[in-house]
Each structure stands twice: as C-alpha cells, then as structure tokens.
Amino acid sequence: MEEESGEELGLDRSTPKDFHFYHMDLYDSEDRLHLFPEENTRMRKVVQAEMANESRGAGDGKAQRDLQEEVDELVHLYGLEDDHELGDEFVDENIPRTGVSEYPPYMMKRRDPAREQRDWRLSGEAAEAEDLGFGGWGSAGQCQDLREAYRYTHGRASEEYECYVIPEEEDEEEAADVFCVTCKTPIRAFQKVFDEHKEHEVIPLNEALESAKDEIHKNMYKLEKQIIEMENFANHLEEVFITVEENFGKQEQNFESHYNEILETLAQKYEEKIQALGEKKKEKLEALYGQLVSCGENLDTCKELMETIEEMCHEEKVDFIKDAVAMADRLGKFLKTKTDVEISAQPEFEDQTLDFSDVEQLMGSINTIPAPSPPIIKTKEIRSCEEAVLICWESGNLNPVDSYTVELTQAESPEASGVTESVVGIPTCESVVQLQPGRSYIIYVRALNMGGPSVRSEPATVHTIGSYFRLNKDTCHPWLTISEDGLTAVRSERRTPARELSPSDTHFTRCVAVMGNLIPVRGHHYWEVEVDEHLDYRVGVAFADVRKQEDLGANCLSWCMRHTFASSRHKYEFLHNRTTPDIRITVPPKKIGILLDYEHSKLSFFNVDLSQHLYTFSCQLHEFVHPCFSLEKPGCLKVHNGISMPKHVTFY
C-alpha cells in the first residue's frame, strides 16, 4: 500500500523509514478540477493577487491579508490545518518573516538540486505556467515556488520539495486497532501484514480489552480473597496475642495466689514452733530458778549456824553447855535434810522436727491444674458451604481454658474412629474450618490448659454439599414465627392492629422479614425458596447493617425479588434502591432458586420448576451479605438449602 502511494506521488524510495506520507489528495489534478471547479478559480485568484503584489514592488497590507485569507480558506478546504504546525521546520531561512506570512504553510523548504537527480520535463511546466499567467512574474525562485504550490494542491509533487515528507511525531502516531497475542502489545492493522507481527496471532482490540478486564477482575477477586484470608489470619494472630496476655495474667494470678498461701502456711508454722520453744525455755528457767532459791536458803542457814556456834565458843561453860544441847538438836535436824545439788533443767533444747508435708502439697498444686471439662457444640448454629464450615460451642468450664482444638473425621472414611484433621490454637468459641466439597464430616471439640486437654465433646455431623444455614430469630419481625428447624417462616392473621414498633438495629420493625445466617465465606452460595403463587413476598439478600425500618430493595444495601398478587394478576419486580427493570414473568414460580456469586459480584434468580433464568443483579459486594425473606401478607415460605446447585443454574 505504501509502495503504491509512493509511485503515485513520485517520491524518492530512499525516504527514511522514520518518515511517513500524508496523502492529502486521492484524485488526479484533472479529476479535482472536475470535482471542484470553484477551486481552480480560487487558485487563479491567489496567483493573480500574488503576481500583482510582487509586480507593484511594494507590499500592500490589505492585499496580503486578502491573500492570506484565500490561502487559509484553501488550507481548510484541503484539510491542511494541522500541517502549519510543522511548517516552521521546513520554511527556508532566506524567506523573510513578516507580520503576515509571505507564503502559505504548504510552501516548504526546497532541497538542494545537487543532492538528488531530477527527471522533470520543464518544458511542460513552463507551458503550464504560461497558461496560468506565471510567465514573467517575479524572480525565477518565486515563480518556481508558486508552481510547486499549485502542483501540491493538484496532487503533484516535485522531488525538490519535502512537502510530503514529515518526520513522524510520537504524539501523532495512528492509534492501535488490533492486539498482538504473541507479543502481548497493541499494534496497527497494517503491521500484521508488513511488520514483524506478520506470523503472530492478533485479535480485535476490544476483544483484548475485555479479556484483560476479565483477567484483572479475576485477579482482583483472588487478591481480595487473599486479603480477606490475611486479614482473618491477622485477626486470629491478634486474638492469640490477646489470649497469651490473658493466659499470662491468669497464670501470674494463680502463682501469686499459691505462693501467698504457702507463705501464710510457713508463717503459721513458724509461729507455732516459736511458741512451743518459748514454753520450753520458760519451763527450764523456772526449774533452775527454784533450785537457785532453795540453794540460797540452805546456804543462808549454814552461815547462820556457823555464826551461832562461833558465838557459843566464847560463852561460859554453863551457858555453853545449855546452848550446845539445843544447837546439837538443831544441827541434827538440818543435816538430816537432803540438799538437791543436781540441775533440774539442762540448757540444751531438743531438736524440733518440722513437718512441711502440707507445704509440699501446696507447692505441688501450683503445677497441677485440673484439665477442662468437655465443650458443648451448638448444633443449631452450624453453618456450612461447599468449601468450609463454621462451628460454635460453649465452653462450660470453671477451670481456665487456654485454647480449643477442633478434630475432624470423614464420615465415610474407613478410619472413622481416628482423627483425619485437626485445627489447634483456637482462642474463641467458634471457628471457620476449610474443608473439601461434597463430603460429610464428624466434628469434635476439645478444651486445653496447662492441666492438659479435655475429653472430646459430643460429635456433630456437617456436610459440604451446597450452602446450609438457618433463619436468624434475633433479626425476626415480631409478626413472624420461625419453625423449630429454622427453615420455615410463618406470618399469621392479625385481627387487631399492632402497636407501633420502636426502631431497632438488630431486628426488622417495618418490613415483616427475617435474615438467614449464611456462613461468611466468599465463593458462590445457592438456596431455594418454596412459595405459594398467590403469596406476596420479597426474597433476596442484604448487608447486616441494612436499615431495619425500610423494606427490602428500598435502599442501596439490599437486593430482592418482589411478587404481589391482585385481581388475578401477578406482578414481579427486581428491586434495588427503589428501582426495577421492566421484566414480565408469564409463569409464576413456585420454587425460586437464588445464586449469590461473590466472585463475579452477581445475584441471580431462577424458576426452579422450569429451569428458567429470571433476572441477575450486578452488585457491589464489599462486605458479606445475608439471605432475606419477607412476607407482606399472611402466609408462609420454606427455605431449602444444603443442596447441590442444579445444572440449569449458570453464572450470568
């Protein structure tokens, strides 16, 4: 294509590849004269005006402005408006620059004739110039310039001018219109034919764009799922961190309590031993003191007798004999008295045996903490989907619990008695456990502390076949009654008007509705709702913080399918933020299938009996949503879940 254009324009094939050609005219000069007869007249006017201006030798300002206006009109006519921006790069430096340009923008710089060979027949050109009245006008260079300008406007180009050769600007490149799958880059269509992309696979740019968007959307979904998993893991780590702190506090309090008890016991034993030792001391001292007093009394008596005998020795004989008889009796009695000269109490104390058996028992109790009692699984609060199950339980323990362990066994496994998988270090009384789809599991829970693990809880059976949930009675409107299995909602007849209900953030007060406890796991969830064809109802999903004083579908936080029956006519609406599309349903569905697709942010409704798709919402599911069910008139609806997705249910 480029080669043919080059032959038609008579351009040198040595033109650098960095340049491209602007084909300003698709017609020959003769064709143009026939197609645009008025243009030839205008060109003659331009030439005549230019000749008259040059012949006068003095530039008339008004004539130059008229000439410029005519030239601008021609430039606009031939679509050359954008070329004037490049004109300054090619205008001859010798051309004078005045307030009004002397030449049109397309009269560009000439090449040096010596640089390339020319093969032009000047005789034909001269004759043509004579016909146009160019002969004798101005200098030879000016006449040549004007002739080339005329040839340019009539689809002819001389090799002396570079008016068709313009450097390729990056910001003026043609836009890519196809996509090279091999190189993974946008290209222009002609590059597939002539460029290195000739053997490569190419697809339309729009198709590549949609494919890239889909790929990015899938990667964003995976990234969002990974972010959620990391956030859950971070929350789990934070809970473990807090649990470590709490357990440390409990253990510290436990040690402090035991050591204080031990210290009190030791202090009591110390007081008892000191008191007993003091009594022994008192007893010894009292005995020694009694002996000391008796010894002193005997000593005084002996001294007195000695002094009395010495005085008798100085008496007369008669007096001495009289006193001697009495003294002899006295001495006889005194000497007959036995004096105890043995110490009654020894200074040594007996070795005291200390009994620390009770203290040792207390010390042993510090490292002996009783194991917890078995937890109790809340079977009515179990929720599941094809990929996971959420289990809740009660601790039921007075003894401290450090963590819990969930043990799983595949019900159909021959090793059903053993544990096939376990999740340890769970700090709270609930856990989401990732499982394989289409299986049945038997689940147990144990509690652990420093005393060891508890015995297993009573078993609970869960299935990963579809999504299983129950209706949440905490969100239920007072006019609704939920069945024991948590799958049926009933609205009874009311003969007396009910009083105005106070607003609530937890349960519905205006819309007679109830939410379902869907497991907080992304992916896809499917359930079915069985309704009477004459029942007025709304079914759909909503965020947990949806306003409980508004109807489903009346805000941007809920999506629902609504059915009303009046005058033997069925009306169906698919409501979100009070808007609905114009959709007609000819066969009233008795069982509605609902598909919640987190991956593609879609909510779809189906007529299960007819395997018919009814409508699909495109939702902004930035958080988890919950199934919602509303009865606008007395009646009942029943939820069917924990079922496999039917074949007719596809992702829209």
Side-chain angles (χ1 to χ4, degrees):
M1 180 177 179
E2 292 182 359
E3 294 178 0
E4 294 176 359
S5 300
E7 292 176 358
E8 290 177 4
L9 298 174
L11 294 177
D12 186 7
R13 299 187 183 275
S14 63
T15 304
K17 64 179 180 179
D18 292 336
F19 291 78
H20 68 277
F21 300 106
Y22 282 74
H23 310 296
M24 306 310 300
D25 196 349
L26 300 178
Y27 303 95
D28 292 333
S29 59
E30 296 178 358
D31 297 335
R32 172 168 293 281
L33 291 176
H34 291 295
L35 290 174
F36 305 100
E38 69 281 6
E39 295 175 10
N40 191 24
T41 305
R42 291 181 179 176
M43 193 61 192
R44 290 180 180 276
K45 291 181 179 180
V46 172
V47 173
Q48 291 174 1
E50 185 70 10
M51 292 173 61
N53 187 36
E54 287 293 326
S55 63
R56 286 194 299 269
D60 181 74
K62 184 176 184 304
Q64 289 183 354
R65 285 193 298 271
D66 294 338
L67 174 63
Q68 185 63 37
E69 290 176 359
E70 293 289 341
V71 171
D72 291 342
E73 185 177 358
L74 288 174
V75 168
H76 176 72
L77 181 63
Y78 291 104
L80 303 176
E81 291 90 347
D82 295 335
D83 292 350
H84 74 278
E85 297 179 359
L86 302 175
D88 291 343
E89 301 179 10
F90 300 92
V91 175
D92 197 325
E93 297 178 355
N94 297 325
I95 297 177
R97 298 180 179 267
T98 59
V100 178
S101 177
E102 187 174 344
Y103 296 98
Y106 47 77
M107 297 177 64
M108 309 268 178
K109 176 181 176 181
R110 286 192 298 173
R111 296 176 182 171
D112 185 0
R115 291 174 59 186
E116 299 182 72
Q117 295 181 355
R118 294 182 298 178
D119 188 16
W120 294 88
R121 300 182 181 276
L122 298 180
S123 59
E125 297 173 0
E128 191 170 288
E130 289 291 340
D131 294 339
L132 296 174
F134 292 164
W137 174 78
S139 63
Q142 291 174 331
C143 187
Q144 180 67 14
D145 287 341
L146 193 56
R147 284 199 302 270
E148 292 298 338
Y150 177 75
R151 295 179 183 281
Y152 179 88
T153 59
H154 284 71
R156 303 176 184 177
S158 170
E159 289 185 352
E160 296 184 10
Y161 284 83
E162 295 181 338
C163 53
Y164 285 169
V165 183
I166 302 176
E168 186 174 8
E169 297 288 342
E170 293 184 0
D171 57 349
E172 293 186 1
E173 289 184 352
E174 296 181 11
D177 49 6
V178 294
F179 182 80
C180 178
V181 179
T182 306
C183 299
K184 298 186 181 302
T185 182
I187 62 173
R188 288 174 288 177
F190 76 89
Q191 291 179 293
K192 168 65 177 173
V193 181
F194 301 104
D195 211 336
E196 66 272 9
H197 305 280
K198 185 175 182 180
E199 302 297 331
H200 294 177
E201 179 186 358
V202 298
I203 59 176
L205 196 61
N206 291 338
E207 181 179 344
L209 179 62
E210 293 299 325
S211 176
K213 287 182 179 179
D214 292 341
E215 185 67 23
I216 291 176
H217 184 77
K218 292 180 181 178
N219 291 333
M220 287 181 64
Y221 170 76
K222 294 178 181 178
L223 182 61
E224 183 180 2
K225 187 175 181 180
Q226 184 174 355
I227 290 173
I228 293 174
E229 292 177 355
M230 294 305 297
E231 288 178 348
N232 292 336
F233 180 69
N235 292 334
H236 179 67
L237 288 179
E238 185 177 356
E239 291 174 352
V240 173
F241 183 89
I242 296 173
T243 304
V244 170
E245 291 286 348
E246 292 176 350
N247 290 340
F248 170 77
K250 293 177 182 178
Q251 293 296 334
E252 184 181 26
Q253 185 178 2
N254 184 40
F255 286 144
E256 184 179 359
S257 174
H258 280 76
Y259 277 114
N260 288 338
E261 186 177 357
I262 292 172
L263 292 177
E264 290 177 1
T265 302
L266 289 174
Q268 183 179 355
K269 288 186 172 295
Y270 172 80
E271 292 295 334
E272 292 175 355
K273 292 297 181 181
I274 291 298
Q275 185 178 358
L277 194 61
E279 291 177 355
K280 288 286 185 181
K281 170 188 173 183
K282 181 181 179 181
E283 182 181 349
K284 287 180 176 290
L285 291 177
E286 288 178 350
L288 291 173
Y289 181 75
Q291 281 188 315
L292 183 60
V293 170
S294 177
C295 180
E297 290 177 350
N298 289 335
L299 183 60
D300 290 341
T301 302
C302 292
K303 288 181 178 180
E304 182 185 358
L305 291 175
M306 288 297 295
E307 290 176 354
T308 302
I309 292 173
E310 288 179 357
E311 290 178 354
M312 289 174 57
C313 291
H314 293 87
E315 292 179 350
E316 294 292 334
K317 294 181 178 179
V318 177
D319 294 334
F320 177 78
I321 293 173
K322 293 179 180 179
D323 293 335
V325 174
M327 180 57 68
D329 294 337
R330 186 179 176 187
L331 285 174
K333 293 180 180 179
F334 178 77
L335 294 175
K336 288 180 180 178
T337 305
K338 187 178 181 180
T339 305
D340 187 7
V341 293
E342 293 182 2
I343 298 176
S344 60
Q346 298 297 325
E348 294 82 7
F349 288 86
E350 297 179 359
D351 292 337
Q352 300 293 320
T353 302
L354 300 177
D355 184 11
F356 289 108
S357 59
D358 51 353
V359 176
E360 291 176 357
Q361 185 178 358
L362 288 173
M363 290 292 293
S365 66
I366 295 178
N367 299 322
T368 305
I369 299 176
S373 57
I376 303 172
I377 297 178
K378 300 178 182 179
T379 56
K380 292 185 177 181
E381 296 186 16
I382 292 178
R383 293 170 269 171
S384 62
C385 63
E386 292 185 351
E387 301 174 355
V389 61
L390 186 147
I391 311 167
C392 303
W393 59 87
E394 292 179 354
S395 174
N397 272 284
L398 298 176
N399 299 323
V401 177
D402 295 338
S403 63
Y404 297 91
T405 298
V406 175
E407 300 176 352
L408 303 98
T409 301
Q410 291 192 23
E412 60 273 12
S413 174
E415 303 89 8
S417 58
V419 176
T420 58
E421 185 179 354
S422 61
V423 181
V424 300
I426 303 173
T428 60
C429 290
E430 69 174 33
S431 176
V432 176
V433 183
Q434 300 295 324
L435 301 175
Q436 297 180 2
R439 304 291 179 87
S440 296
Y441 293 87
I442 300 175
I443 295 181
Y444 306 89
V445 179
R446 292 181 187 266
L448 293 90
N449 62 11
M450 295 186 65
S454 69
V455 297
R456 280 180 172 182
S457 66
E458 291 295 324
T461 303
V462 297
H463 308 278
T464 55
I465 303 173
S467 298
Y468 176 79
F469 61 89
R470 291 171 179 256
L471 300 179
N472 186 358
K473 294 182 179 181
D474 295 334
T475 65
C476 183
H477 190 281
W479 294 359
L480 288 180
T481 303
I482 307 302
S483 62
E484 184 64 25
D485 62 2
L487 298 176
T488 303
V490 179
R491 178 175 178 177
S492 304
E493 293 280 357
R494 285 185 173 270
R495 298 181 179 179
T496 58
R499 60 181 177 84
E500 185 72 17
L501 298 174
S502 58
S504 172
D505 293 332
T506 58
H507 64 270
F508 290 95
T509 56
R510 172 173 175 169
C511 180
V512 184
V514 63
M515 279 186 172
N517 273 334
L518 188 64
I519 184 172
V521 174
R522 292 188 177 271
H524 58 268
H525 303 273
Y526 176 79
W527 63 93
E528 296 176 354
V529 186
E530 184 178 346
V531 295
D532 186 89
E533 61 180 7
H534 297 152
L535 180 67
D536 291 358
Y537 58 84
R538 300 185 190 215
V539 292
V541 299
F543 290 108
D545 58 347
V546 66
R547 288 179 56 85
K548 306 301 189 296
Q549 295 78 36
E550 295 182 352
D551 292 326
L552 296 177
N555 47 59
C556 61
L557 301 178
S558 60
W559 297 259
C560 76
M561 170 184 173
R562 183 192 184 195
H563 169 256
T564 55
F565 180 76
S567 302
S568 302
R569 296 186 63 183
H570 297 271
K571 180 181 179 181
Y572 292 91
E573 298 174 282
F574 294 90
L575 293 167
H576 174 64
N577 207 13
R578 298 185 182 276
T579 60
T580 180
D582 185 13
I583 293 180
R584 298 181 182 275
I585 298 177
T586 57
V587 179
K590 296 181 180 180
K591 185 178 288 187
I592 303 168
I594 301 176
L595 174 63
L596 173 61
D597 182 9
Y598 279 105
E599 182 177 357
H600 300 93
S601 297
K602 300 291 182 65
L603 177 68
S604 300
F605 296 85
F606 302 87
N607 185 331
V608 177
D609 297 330
L610 298 181
S611 302
Q612 178 188 19
H613 172 251
L614 300 177
Y615 185 71
T616 294
F617 285 105
S618 293
C619 312
Q620 296 296 328
L621 303 177
H622 55 278
E623 296 178 0
F624 291 109
V625 293
H626 301 273
C628 291
F629 312 89
S630 172
L631 293 173
E632 299 185 357
K633 291 183 179 180
C636 71
L637 56 79
K638 183 176 179 59
V639 179
H640 297 269
N641 55 30
I643 56 179
S644 299
M645 189 182 305
K647 294 182 179 179
H648 68 268
V649 174
T650 55
F651 299 96
Y652 286 84

